Amino acid sequence: MSHSLKSFASDNNAPVHDAIFQAMMDANRGDVIGYGDDLHTLAAEKRFKEIFGKYIRVFFMLTGTGANVAGLSHITRPYHAIVCSDKAHLENDECGAPEKMTGCKLIRLPSEDGKIRPVQIIPHLDSIGFQHHSQPKVVSITQATELGTVYQPDEIREIAGFARKHNLYLHMDGARIANAAASLDLSLAEISGAAGVDLLSFGGTKNGAMAAEALVFFNQDLADEFEYTRKQSMQLMSKMRYISAQFNALFSGNLWIENARNANNMAKILAERIEGISSIKITQKVETNGVFAILPKEAIEKLRRKYFFYTWDVRKNEVRWMTSYNTTEKDIDGFVEAIREALG
Amino acid sequence: MSHSLKSFASDNNAPVHDAIFQAMMDANRGDVIGYGDDLHTLAAEKRFKEIFGKYIRVFFMLTGTGANVAGLSHITRPYHAIVCSDKAHLENDECGAPEKMTGCKLIRLPSEDGKIRPVQIIPHLDSIGFQHHSQPKVVSITQATELGTVYQPDEIREIAGFARKHNLYLHMDGARIANAAASLDLSLAEISGAAGVDLLSFGGTKNGAMAAEALVFFNQDLADEFEYTRKQSMQLMSKMRYISAQFNALFSGNLWIENARNANNMAKILAERIEGISSIKITQKVETNGVFAILPKEAIEKLRRKYFFYTWDVRKNEVRWMTSYNTTEKDIDGFVEAIREALG
Amino acid sequence: MSHSLKSFASDNNAPVHDAIFQAMMDANRGDVIGYGDDLHTLAAEKRFKEIFGKYIRVFFMLTGTGANVAGLSHITRPYHAIVCSDKAHLENDECGAPEKMTGCKLIRLPSEDGKIRPVQIIPHLDSIGFQHHSQPKVVSITQATELGTVYQPDEIREIAGFARKHNLYLHMDGARIANAAASLDLSLAEISGAAGVDLLSFGGTKNGAMAAEALVFFNQDLADEFEYTRKQSMQLMSKMRYISAQFNALFSGNLWIENARNANNMAKILAERIEGISSIKITQKVETNGVFAILPKEAIEKLRRKYFFYTWDVRKNEVRWMTSYNTTEKDIDGFVEAIREALG
Amino acid sequence: MSHSLKSFASDNNAPVHDAIFQAMMDANRGDVIGYGDDLHTLAAEKRFKEIFGKYIRVFFMLTGTGANVAGLSHITRPYHAIVCSDKAHLENDECGAPEKMTGCKLIRLPSEDGKIRPVQIIPHLDSIGFQHHSQPKVVSITQATELGTVYQPDEIREIAGFARKHNLYLHMDGARIANAAASLDLSLAEISGAAGVDLLSFGGTKNGAMAAEALVFFNQDLADEFEYTRKQSMQLMSKMRYISAQFNALFSGNLWIENARNANNMAKILAERIEGISSIKITQKVETNGVFAILPKEAIEKLRRKYFFYTWDVRKNEVRWMTSYNTTEKDIDGFVEAIREALG
C-alpha cells in the first residue's frame, strides 16, 4: 500500500532526503574496499568525533534494533538485567531480539510519558548479589521517547549519576535523538555523552536517511572487540560507504538538525490546530515529532480511509501521528481538514 | 583506503550498478508504508515468483550473513547440526553468527574445490537418534562456491535426494548464484528449487546491488512465522522499498545475468592471460568470477602495492582475485601487466 | 551455616526422607546402563503413567529450574512470549535462565496471590500477528503458587480453555504440586493433565527427595525429540537410576501425599497459632505449606537470630515461613514460642 | 536394561562407592540451608583448596557437561572460538550444548590419540584480529583423554605456555583426571593448575560418586560472578550438601586415587590378557581405564549378548571397554573368557 498523500504513520515512511541521496550517489564512484576501510567511512567517523568528542568509538549499523541489541549484548553477560521503560522500543518493538541476543532479562518500569526515574529502579537493586536473580547492569532510556517526550539534561544526568553509583551502564536509544536535540536546543553531545550516557544508539534513518544507524561508545573500554559482535549480529554492511555517505550528508551543514526541527515544528503546528477540537484529547506533551491523541473510534476509522497512521492503544482509541523532515504545512492543512471531516 | 584502480579484492568492492541506483532513486518519491507493505516490495516479490516459481515465499534481508543465519535458525532447533564445506562462508566468515543464532553445531566437511558430496555426509548420520549428539538436519551448499566453482544440476539433485532420504533440509548459500547460473547457462530456478533446494539465500549485493539479499523458501511450510525470525534477527529494513527497488532493477531486463556474465568473462580472460606464466599456478577451475592462484610471495607483495586483493592461504602463497560486473578488459590488461611486472 | 533447629526458610532445607534414601540405597547394587536405560527408570516411568495416564511422556531432570526452562525452550521458538505471574519462580528465581535458554520474552502479569486470570492475558494477545512483537505462545502457572495458594481445578480449566482457544500452550510449574493436590484433596492428574495442562514440571525435591524433577508431557506431540533438548540443557543425569529410585519411593504407598499433607498441616497449625497475635498480619491464604506474614522489623531480626527464614518483601517487612514433610508440631511449638519472644 | 554382570560400557555404569554413599547418608541429618551455604559444602571447598592450592575458587555442579559448558560460557564471549580435539566430549557428546550455551565456534583438531599439540593450533591463530572470523580464546584439553591416554605434565605446560603467549585460556575437562593422576603418579594439582590450567572441570561421577562435578578456577579473576552463570545454566543444586558430601568422601583418606588406581589396573590387566590374541588389535595405549580394540564384527555381536559395551567406531569394528573403581580381577577373568568364546 503506498499513498500519494503524506503519511502520518511514522517518520520512516518518508523518502530519503535529496541531499542524502545525492551523497550516496557521489559515493557511488569506483571501487573501494568493503566493510568500512574506505574514505567515506573515515570521514563519517571523523564527523562523529567532531560532534560527540574525540574520546568516543563509533560503529555503523544497519538497523535501529540492530544497534540497540548488538550494543546491549556487548556490554552485558546473559545473567544481567536491562532496565527500561514499559514503552521502550527495546521492550515492545524488537520481537524479543534483546532477550534472544543478550540472554538478559528486561525489567520494564511503568511509565506514562515514556520516561523513567531513578526511584523506580531502586527496588530492583535488591536483586544484586543474589545468585537466583538476574543482575541489573544497564539502564536504557530513549531520547526522544517513544511517546515524543524528551529527557531534560538534568534528568539524564540524574539517571547517569544513579547508574554510576550502582555500577550500572547507561544506554540511550537515540533513534530520534536529533528531534530531542532540536526540541531542547542543545547539541547532540550535551544530551548524551556529556550527560553521562555510556552507549548511544544514534539514529539517522528516521531523520531522512535510508538506513544509517550508529553505535557511539562514550565509555571506550566497552567498545573493545565490538567489531566481532557487530559482525556476529549480522549488522556489518559490506558496502559500508553507503551508510557512511548518509552520515556525511546528515552532518554536512546542519541537515540533521534542520530535518529534526521541521519534523518537530510540524507536530507542534498539528497539535495547535487540533487542540481546540473538543472531541480530541492530546495525551502527551508534544515535544518532538509525534502527536498522541484520543478521538472517537468512528472518526479514527474514517480518517484512516484517507491517511495511514497507527492506533497506539486500541483500548483507549488513542492514535499516534508522526511528522517527519518532509512534512509541510500544506500536509498539515490537508490532514487537519480530514480530521475535521472525520469528526463530522 | 580507496583505490582509483579497479579492485580485485572482492565483488563487493564495486559501486552500485547505475541502473540499480536509478531504480532506488525512482523509488525515492513520496511516503510509503514501512517494513514491506509497499508497491515496490510487492513488485519485487512478484519478480521472484516469476523467476523461482509461484510456490515460493520470499523475504528480503539486509546482509548475506543475515540471510544465511536467520534462514538456518528458522529451520532448525538448537540441538541440530548443519553440514557444510570447510570452505563455506557460514563456517569461516560469519564470526560465529551461525552458532550464536542457531545454537547448532556446524559439521565441516573437507573440500578442495568448495563442493561437498553425499558420501562425505554418511558417517555423520551415525549420530542420528543418539541423545548425546547434535542431530544433522541441514546440508548447506554454496553456489557458486567460495572457490569460484559451481555445482552441476545433477550434483545438486544428488545431494537433494540424499538429503530428502535422510530427512535433512537442503540450504543453498546463493551469494553468487547469478554467477553460477551464468556459468552453467541455466536459469536460477534450475539450479535451486527445481534441483531440490529447500531454502535459498539469494544474493544481489555482490552482483551490483547496494545491499539486497533475499531468502527464498521453496519448501513453503518452512516459511511459517519467518517474519518474526527476520525481525528478531535484526534483518527487517524499515524503508524496505529501497531493497525492493534494487531487486526490481536486477530483474528488469537481464541485468542480473549480464552483470554476472561480465564478471565471469573477465575472470576467464584474466585466467587465460596468466595461465602461460610459469611462476603462477592457477589452483581452482575458473568457472565463475574468481581466480585462485599461487605465486611467489615477493610478487604478491609487490603487486599489492598497486592493487588491493586478499591472500587466500598465507601458508601456500595463494591469492584470490575477484572480478565483478564492472570489471573491464582494460582493467584486466592493467592488472595482468602489473602481475608481470611484479613477477619481474 | 547449618541449624540444629528446624529451618522455616524453605522446604528444600529438609534432609531426604528416609524411605527415599533407602530406595536410592537399594538401587545402589551392581552395574546398570547409564542415561535412563535401566529397570529403575522403567519402573519410575511406569509409575508416572499410572498417576498421570498412559498417554503421557515423561523425562527425568536434575533441577526444577532445569525442568521449567528445558521444557519451555522445547515448546517455543525464540520469538515467542511466555506469560506468567510476576511472582513466578520462572520470572524471579531462575537468574534469567528462561530468557537465555528460550530466547523468549517473559510477560509478567501482576498478581497479589501468585495466581493469574485469563482476563489479564487478553491485552497481550493484541501482539499476535505483528512482526515487531514477541508472539505469546505459552501460559505458565505455578501450582501451588510461590505464595502458597492453589488454583482450583475450575480455574485451571478456565485458563486451559482460554489457552487452547488462542493457540497457547499451558505449562504448569509443579515444584509443589503435591502440596496442591493434598490441599485440594484431588489426584495429581486432576489438577494437571485432566484440567488441560500441556506440560508439567513435576517436583519431588521440595517434597522429601534429594534431587528428583520430571517433565510430564500431556501433549505428547510436544515431547518429540525432547531427549536432545534435555541433554543440551545439561539436565541428563548419567547415573539416572538414582533419580528414578527417588520417584519410585515417592510413589510407593502414599509417601508423596503424606509428605505433602504433613507440610500443609504444619503450616496450617503455625498460622492458627499466630493469627491471634495482633502485631502479626498473615498476608496470604494458607492453603499449602507456606505462611506469609508481616511483623515488626525488630521482631524479624530477633527471630532470625534463632531460626533461619527469608524476608519475602523487605519493603513491607513481610516474611515467608515454609514447613516441610519433616516439620513436627514440636517444631511449631518452638517456633511460635520464639516468635512470641521476638515480639516481646 | 540392567546387568548382573559387570558392565564394560562406561565407568558411569558402576554404582556409587559405599563410602561415598555413607557420607551422603551421614549428611542426611537435620535441616541445612540450601544452595551451598552449609557446613558440608564449606568442608568440601576446604578440601579442594588443600588439593589444588588456596588461590582457587571452586563451584559444585551437577553434570560433567554442565561443568564444561557453564565454565566455558563464563570465560568466553559468543564471538570467540574454543579449540579442542576432534575426540573431545565437548565436541561429540554434549549434543551441541557448548554451541548453544556459549555461542562460540568449536575448532576441532584431528587427533589419533585424543591429545592435541600447539602446532595444530597455530594456523587457527590467523583468524585473530579479523572481524569476519570467530576469535580463538580457549584451548580445551581432556585429561585423561576420551581415548584413555594421558597428557604428560610437560605436554600440558607446553600447551599452557602456548596459550598464555597467544592470550588464550586453557581449560581442562577432567572428567577422569583422577585416572590421569593415578596413571602418572602425580598429584591432581601437578597436572592441572601447577601445569598452567586456568579452569578445570573436575569429575567425581565417573570415579565412584553419584553426581559430583566441580569447576576449579585457578585463574580466580575468571570466577567473578560465576555463581550467576551456574544458576542460569541450571546447575545449582538446592540440596547442595549431597554433592559436597560426595567430595568429602572422595577426598577423605585416599579414596579418590584408590578408586582411580583400581580402574586403571583393571584396564591394564584386561589389556595384558588379550594382547596376545591375534584377532584382537588394541588401538590405543592403555594409560588409564579404557581399552580400545578392533576385533571381528561377529565376535563383537556375540560378546555383546553377554556384556554391554559400546562400539566406538562402527566403521572400524573398534570397541571401547571401560573399567571402573569396582571392577575386579574376577570380572576381568569372566570378560576375557567371554571374549575368547566370542572369538571362537
Side-chain angles (χ1 to χ4, degrees):
Chain A
M1 176 160 51
S2 87
H3 277 75
S4 50
L5 287 174
K6 182 69 189 113
S7 168
F8 287 85
S10 175
D11 28 14
N12 67 29
N13 285 196
V16 178
H17 189 280
D18 287 340
I20 296 174
F21 218 107
Q22 186 60 48
M24 295 175 83
M25 208 151 47
D26 293 345
N28 197 42
R29 285 183 199 131
D31 284 24
V32 306
I33 296 179
Y35 305 110
D37 199 7
D38 67 89
L39 294 174
H40 305 281
T41 304
L42 284 179
E45 288 169 356
K46 196 159 159 280
R47 296 274 193 189
F48 269 89
K49 295 194 177 188
E50 285 161 13
I51 286 169
F52 289 107
K54 57 186 165 179
Y55 301 111
I56 61 153
R57 287 190 65 194
V58 63
F59 296 86
F60 300 151
M61 315 288 287
L62 284 159
T63 72
T65 295
N68 282 341
V69 172
L72 289 168
S73 82
H74 197 69
I75 67 173
T76 55
R77 304 300 311 257
Y79 50 79
H80 286 149
I82 298 163
V83 180
C84 64
S85 145
D86 64 350
K87 301 299 184 294
H89 195 267
L90 206 62
E91 167 68 14
N92 297 302
D93 297 300
E94 303 186 349
C95 199
E99 284 89 348
K100 160 79 174 160
M101 291 297 291
T102 68
C104 294
K105 178 173 289 300
L106 264 58
I107 296 176
R108 42 186 288 157
L109 304 179
S111 167
E112 285 306 307
D113 60 359
K115 292 157 69 175
I116 54 176
R117 280 87 190 164
V119 69
Q120 297 180 278
I121 304 169
I122 292 172
H124 296 282
L125 302 181
D126 293 353
S127 293
I128 291 178
F130 291 92
Q131 65 184 333
H132 302 277
H133 306 321
S134 292
Q135 299 292 297
K137 191 67 194 169
V138 183
V139 179
S140 177
I141 60 176
T142 311
Q143 173 79 317
T145 74
E146 293 77 6
L147 296 174
T149 55
V150 297
Y151 284 93
Q152 297 297 320
D154 277 358
E155 293 176 309
I156 301 170
R157 271 193 293 271
E158 191 196 350
I159 296 175
F162 179 87
R164 203 127 311 174
K165 183 176 162 194
H166 295 288
N167 199 25
L168 309 171
Y169 298 125
L170 180 56
H171 167 254
M172 177 176 278
D173 179 347
R176 294 189 183 96
I177 191 175
N179 301 86
S183 172
L184 292 162
D185 202 18
L186 291 168
S187 74
L188 290 166
E190 284 170 303
I191 57 171
S192 55
V197 169
D198 292 298
L199 177 61
L200 168 69
S201 301
F202 179 87
T205 311
K206 291 183 199 300
N207 198 28
M210 182 184 287
E213 304 288 319
L215 262 173
V216 181
F217 289 86
F218 297 102
N219 183 334
Q220 289 182 83
D221 292 344
L222 295 178
D224 253 24
E225 303 199 327
F226 181 72
E227 59 271 31
Y228 306 110
T229 293
R230 175 172 63 177
K231 174 65 190 175
Q232 195 177 41
S233 303
M234 305 165 293
Q235 289 293 309
L236 178 62
M237 191 186 192
S238 59
K239 297 187 176 179
M240 184 75 90
R241 57 172 139 172
Y242 299 103
I243 296 183
S244 307
Q246 295 176 65
F247 283 126
N248 287 330
L250 268 172
F251 291 142
S252 176
N254 294 309
L255 185 59
W256 71 270
I257 193 141
E258 285 163 12
N259 279 359
R261 274 187 195 133
N262 183 76
N264 289 3
N265 287 341
M266 290 303 123
K268 188 177 286 178
I269 291 171
L270 171 57
E272 285 165 3
R273 296 276 191 88
I274 61 174
E275 71 191 349
I277 303 174
S278 64
S279 47
I280 294 187
K281 185 188 163 198
I282 296 178
T283 55
Q284 294 287 342
K285 278 196 224 171
V286 180
E287 296 183 322
T288 54
N289 65 324
V291 177
F292 291 76
I294 289 172
L295 64 169
K297 197 179 175 192
E298 321 78 66
I300 293 174
E301 283 163 9
K302 215 165 157 195
L303 180 62
R304 186 136 43 203
R305 275 177 229 131
K306 203 159 174 193
Y307 283 91
F308 186 66
F309 57 87
Y310 293 105
T311 295
W312 185 254
D313 186 334
V314 73
R315 280 149 225 292
K316 289 189 194 161
N317 295 318
E318 186 181 23
V319 302
R320 182 189 78 160
W321 295 325
M322 300 297 293
T323 53
S324 61
Y325 82 88
N326 71 336
T327 308
T328 63
E329 281 210 55
K330 216 180 128 203
D331 293 331
I332 302 294
D333 291 343
F335 190 55
V336 171
E337 195 183 308
I339 292 171
R340 290 190 177 279
E341 266 176 41
L343 290 167
Chain B
M1 178 159 50
S2 87
H3 277 76
S4 49
L5 286 174
K6 181 71 188 113
S7 168
F8 288 84
S10 174
D11 28 13
N12 67 29
N13 285 195
V16 178
H17 188 279
D18 286 340
I20 297 174
F21 217 106
Q22 186 61 48
M24 296 174 82
M25 211 152 44
D26 293 345
N28 197 41
R29 286 182 197 131
D31 284 23
V32 306
I33 297 180
Y35 306 111
D37 200 7
D38 67 90
L39 294 174
H40 305 282
T41 303
L42 284 178
E45 288 169 356
K46 195 158 162 279
R47 297 273 193 186
F48 269 89
K49 295 194 176 187
E50 286 161 11
I51 286 168
F52 289 106
K54 57 184 164 183
Y55 301 111
I56 62 151
R57 287 189 65 194
V58 62
F59 296 85
F60 300 151
M61 314 289 286
L62 284 159
T63 73
T65 295
N68 282 341
V69 172
L72 289 168
S73 83
H74 197 68
I75 67 173
T76 55
R77 304 299 312 258
Y79 49 80
H80 286 149
I82 298 163
V83 180
C84 64
S85 146
D86 64 350
K87 301 297 185 296
H89 195 267
L90 207 61
E91 167 68 14
N92 297 302
D93 297 300
E94 303 187 349
C95 199
E99 285 89 347
K100 159 80 175 159
M101 291 297 292
T102 69
C104 294
K105 178 173 288 299
L106 264 60
I107 296 177
R108 45 187 287 158
L109 304 179
S111 168
E112 285 305 308
D113 60 359
K115 292 158 70 174
I116 55 175
R117 281 87 189 166
V119 68
Q120 297 179 279
I121 304 170
I122 293 172
H124 297 281
L125 302 180
D126 293 352
S127 293
I128 292 179
F130 291 92
Q131 65 184 334
H132 302 278
H133 306 321
S134 293
Q135 299 291 297
K137 191 69 195 170
V138 183
V139 179
S140 178
I141 60 176
T142 311
Q143 174 78 320
T145 73
E146 292 77 4
L147 296 175
T149 57
V150 297
Y151 284 94
Q152 297 297 320
D154 277 359
E155 293 176 310
I156 301 170
R157 272 193 292 272
E158 191 196 351
I159 296 176
F162 179 88
R164 204 129 311 175
K165 184 175 162 195
H166 295 288
N167 200 26
L168 309 172
Y169 298 125
L170 179 56
H171 168 255
M172 177 177 277
D173 178 347
R176 294 189 184 96
I177 190 175
N179 302 84
S183 172
L184 293 162
D185 201 18
L186 291 168
S187 75
L188 291 167
E190 285 170 300
I191 58 172
S192 56
V197 168
D198 292 297
L199 177 60
L200 169 67
S201 302
F202 180 87
T205 311
K206 292 184 197 302
N207 197 27
M210 184 185 286
E213 305 288 318
L215 261 173
V216 181
F217 289 86
F218 297 102
N219 183 334
Q220 289 181 83
D221 293 345
L222 295 179
D224 254 25
E225 304 199 327
F226 180 72
E227 59 271 31
Y228 306 111
T229 294
R230 177 173 59 179
K231 174 64 191 176
Q232 196 177 41
S233 303
M234 303 164 293
Q235 289 293 308
L236 178 62
M237 192 188 191
S238 59
K239 298 187 174 178
M240 185 75 89
R241 58 172 137 173
Y242 299 103
I243 296 183
S244 306
Q246 295 176 65
F247 283 127
N248 287 330
L250 268 173
F251 292 142
S252 177
N254 293 310
L255 185 60
W256 71 270
I257 192 143
E258 286 164 10
N259 279 358
R261 272 186 197 134
N262 183 76
N264 290 1
N265 287 341
M266 290 303 123
K268 188 178 286 178
I269 291 171
L270 171 57
E272 285 164 2
R273 296 276 191 87
I274 61 175
E275 70 191 351
I277 303 175
S278 63
S279 47
I280 295 188
K281 185 188 164 197
I282 295 179
T283 54
Q284 294 288 341
K285 278 196 224 172
V286 180
E287 297 184 321
T288 53
N289 64 324
V291 176
F292 291 76
I294 289 172
L295 62 169
K297 199 181 172 190
E298 318 78 67
I300 294 174
E301 282 164 11
K302 213 163 158 197
L303 180 60
R304 188 137 41 203
R305 274 176 229 134
K306 200 155 176 197
Y307 284 91
F308 187 65
F309 57 88
Y310 293 105
T311 294
W312 185 254
D313 186 332
V314 72
R315 279 150 226 291
K316 290 189 195 163
N317 294 318
E318 187 181 23
V319 301
R320 182 187 80 160
W321 295 325
M322 299 297 294
T323 54
S324 62
Y325 82 89
N326 71 336
T327 309
T328 64
E329 281 209 54
K330 216 181 128 203
D331 293 331
I332 302 294
D333 291 343
F335 191 55
V336 171
E337 195 184 308
I339 292 171
R340 290 191 177 278
E341 266 176 42
L343 290 167
Chain C
M1 179 160 50
S2 87
H3 277 75
S4 48
L5 286 175
K6 182 71 188 110
S7 168
F8 287 84
S10 174
D11 28 14
N12 67 29
N13 285 195
V16 178
H17 188 280
D18 287 340
I20 296 174
F21 218 107
Q22 184 62 47
M24 296 175 83
M25 210 153 44
D26 292 345
N28 197 41
R29 285 184 198 130
D31 283 24
V32 306
I33 296 179
Y35 305 110
D37 199 6
D38 68 88
L39 294 174
H40 305 282
T41 303
L42 284 178
E45 287 169 357
K46 196 157 160 279
R47 298 273 193 186
F48 269 89
K49 294 194 177 189
E50 286 162 11
I51 286 168
F52 288 107
K54 57 184 163 182
Y55 300 111
I56 61 152
R57 286 189 65 194
V58 62
F59 295 86
F60 300 151
M61 314 289 285
L62 283 159
T63 72
T65 295
N68 282 342
V69 172
L72 289 167
S73 83
H74 197 68
I75 67 174
T76 55
R77 303 301 311 259
Y79 49 79
H80 286 149
I82 298 164
V83 180
C84 64
S85 146
D86 63 350
K87 302 298 185 296
H89 195 267
L90 208 60
E91 167 69 14
N92 298 302
D93 298 299
E94 303 186 350
C95 200
E99 285 89 349
K100 159 79 175 161
M101 291 297 291
T102 69
C104 295
K105 179 173 287 301
L106 264 59
I107 297 177
R108 44 186 286 157
L109 305 179
S111 168
E112 286 304 308
D113 60 0
K115 292 157 69 174
I116 56 176
R117 281 87 190 166
V119 70
Q120 297 179 279
I121 303 170
I122 292 172
H124 297 283
L125 301 180
D126 292 353
S127 294
I128 290 178
F130 291 92
Q131 65 184 334
H132 302 277
H133 306 320
S134 294
Q135 300 291 297
K137 191 66 194 170
V138 182
V139 179
S140 178
I141 59 176
T142 311
Q143 174 78 320
T145 73
E146 292 77 4
L147 296 174
T149 56
V150 298
Y151 284 93
Q152 296 297 320
D154 277 359
E155 292 175 310
I156 301 170
R157 271 192 293 271
E158 192 196 350
I159 297 175
F162 179 88
R164 204 129 308 176
K165 185 175 161 196
H166 295 288
N167 200 27
L168 309 171
Y169 299 124
L170 180 55
H171 167 255
M172 178 177 277
D173 178 347
R176 294 190 185 96
I177 191 175
N179 301 86
S183 172
L184 292 162
D185 202 17
L186 290 168
S187 75
L188 291 166
E190 284 171 301
I191 57 172
S192 56
V197 169
D198 291 299
L199 177 61
L200 168 68
S201 301
F202 180 86
T205 311
K206 291 185 198 301
N207 197 27
M210 183 185 288
E213 305 288 318
L215 262 173
V216 181
F217 289 85
F218 296 102
N219 183 334
Q220 289 182 83
D221 293 345
L222 295 178
D224 255 24
E225 303 198 329
F226 181 72
E227 59 271 30
Y228 307 111
T229 294
R230 176 173 61 179
K231 174 64 191 176
Q232 197 177 39
S233 303
M234 305 164 293
Q235 289 292 310
L236 178 62
M237 191 188 192
S238 59
K239 299 188 175 178
M240 184 76 89
R241 56 171 138 172
Y242 300 102
I243 296 183
S244 306
Q246 295 176 65
F247 282 127
N248 286 330
L250 268 172
F251 291 142
S252 176
N254 293 310
L255 184 60
W256 72 271
I257 193 141
E258 285 164 10
N259 278 358
R261 273 187 196 132
N262 183 76
N264 290 1
N265 287 341
M266 290 303 123
K268 189 178 284 177
I269 290 171
L270 170 58
E272 285 166 3
R273 297 276 189 89
I274 63 175
E275 71 190 350
I277 304 175
S278 64
S279 47
I280 294 187
K281 187 187 162 198
I282 295 178
T283 54
Q284 295 288 342
K285 278 197 226 171
V286 180
E287 297 185 321
T288 53
N289 64 324
V291 177
F292 290 76
I294 289 172
L295 62 170
K297 200 180 171 193
E298 319 78 66
I300 293 173
E301 283 164 8
K302 213 164 158 197
L303 180 61
R304 187 136 44 204
R305 275 177 228 133
K306 200 155 177 196
Y307 283 91
F308 186 65
F309 57 89
Y310 292 105
T311 294
W312 185 254
D313 186 333
V314 71
R315 280 151 227 291
K316 289 190 195 163
N317 294 318
E318 187 182 22
V319 300
R320 183 188 79 161
W321 294 324
M322 300 298 292
T323 53
S324 61
Y325 82 88
N326 71 336
T327 309
T328 63
E329 282 209 53
K330 216 180 128 204
D331 293 331
I332 302 294
D333 291 344
F335 191 55
V336 172
E337 195 183 308
I339 293 171
R340 290 190 177 277
E341 266 177 41
L343 290 167
Chain D
M1 177 160 50
S2 86
H3 277 74
S4 49
L5 285 174
K6 182 68 188 114
S7 168
F8 287 85
S10 175
D11 30 13
N12 67 28
N13 285 196
V16 178
H17 188 280
D18 287 340
I20 297 174
F21 217 105
Q22 185 61 48
M24 295 174 83
M25 210 153 43
D26 293 345
N28 198 42
R29 285 184 198 131
D31 284 24
V32 307
I33 297 179
Y35 305 111
D37 199 7
D38 67 89
L39 294 175
H40 305 281
T41 303
L42 284 179
E45 288 169 355
K46 196 158 160 279
R47 298 273 193 187
F48 270 88
K49 295 194 177 187
E50 286 162 12
I51 286 168
F52 289 106
K54 57 186 165 179
Y55 300 112
I56 62 153
R57 286 190 64 193
V58 62
F59 295 87
F60 299 151
M61 315 288 287
L62 284 158
T63 72
T65 295
N68 282 342
V69 173
L72 288 167
S73 83
H74 197 69
I75 67 173
T76 55
R77 303 302 310 256
Y79 49 79
H80 287 149
I82 299 163
V83 180
C84 63
S85 146
D86 64 351
K87 301 298 185 294
H89 195 267
L90 207 60
E91 167 68 14
N92 298 302
D93 297 299
E94 303 187 349
C95 199
E99 284 90 347
K100 160 77 174 162
M101 292 296 293
T102 69
C104 294
K105 178 174 288 301
L106 264 59
I107 297 176
R108 43 186 286 156
L109 304 180
S111 168
E112 286 306 308
D113 60 359
K115 293 157 70 173
I116 55 176
R117 280 87 190 165
V119 68
Q120 297 180 279
I121 304 170
I122 292 171
H124 297 281
L125 301 181
D126 292 353
S127 294
I128 291 178
F130 290 92
Q131 64 184 335
H132 302 277
H133 306 321
S134 293
Q135 300 292 298
K137 191 67 194 170
V138 183
V139 179
S140 178
I141 59 176
T142 312
Q143 173 80 317
T145 74
E146 293 77 6
L147 296 175
T149 55
V150 297
Y151 284 93
Q152 296 297 320
D154 276 359
E155 293 175 309
I156 300 170
R157 270 192 294 271
E158 191 196 350
I159 297 175
F162 180 88
R164 203 129 309 175
K165 183 175 162 195
H166 294 289
N167 200 23
L168 310 171
Y169 298 125
L170 179 56
H171 168 254
M172 177 177 278
D173 179 347
R176 294 190 184 95
I177 190 175
N179 301 86
S183 172
L184 292 163
D185 202 17
L186 291 168
S187 74
L188 291 166
E190 283 170 301
I191 57 172
S192 56
V197 169
D198 291 299
L199 176 61
L200 167 69
S201 301
F202 180 88
T205 311
K206 291 184 198 302
N207 197 27
M210 182 185 286
E213 305 288 320
L215 262 173
V216 181
F217 290 85
F218 296 102
N219 183 333
Q220 289 182 82
D221 292 345
L222 296 178
D224 253 24
E225 302 199 330
F226 181 73
E227 58 272 30
Y228 306 111
T229 293
R230 176 172 62 177
K231 174 65 192 177
Q232 196 177 40
S233 303
M234 306 166 291
Q235 290 292 309
L236 178 62
M237 191 188 193
S238 59
K239 298 188 176 179
M240 184 75 90
R241 57 171 138 173
Y242 300 102
I243 295 183
S244 307
Q246 295 176 64
F247 282 127
N248 287 330
L250 268 172
F251 291 142
S252 176
N254 293 310
L255 185 61
W256 72 270
I257 194 142
E258 285 164 11
N259 279 358
R261 273 187 197 135
N262 183 75
N264 290 3
N265 286 342
M266 290 303 123
K268 187 178 287 179
I269 291 172
L270 171 57
E272 286 166 0
R273 296 274 190 90
I274 62 174
E275 70 190 351
I277 304 175
S278 64
S279 47
I280 294 187
K281 185 187 162 198
I282 295 178
T283 54
Q284 294 288 342
K285 277 197 226 172
V286 180
E287 297 184 321
T288 53
N289 65 324
V291 177
F292 291 76
I294 289 173
L295 64 169
K297 200 180 172 191
E298 320 78 66
I300 293 174
E301 283 164 10
K302 214 166 158 194
L303 181 60
R304 187 135 46 202
R305 277 177 227 132
K306 202 158 176 194
Y307 283 91
F308 186 67
F309 57 89
Y310 293 105
T311 294
W312 184 254
D313 186 333
V314 72
R315 279 150 227 291
K316 289 190 196 161
N317 295 317
E318 186 181 23
V319 300
R320 183 188 79 160
W321 294 325
M322 299 298 292
T323 53
S324 62
Y325 82 88
N326 71 336
T327 309
T328 62
E329 281 209 56
K330 214 178 131 204
D331 293 330
I332 301 294
D333 291 342
F335 190 55
V336 171
E337 194 182 309
I339 292 171
R340 291 189 176 277
E341 265 175 43
L343 290 166

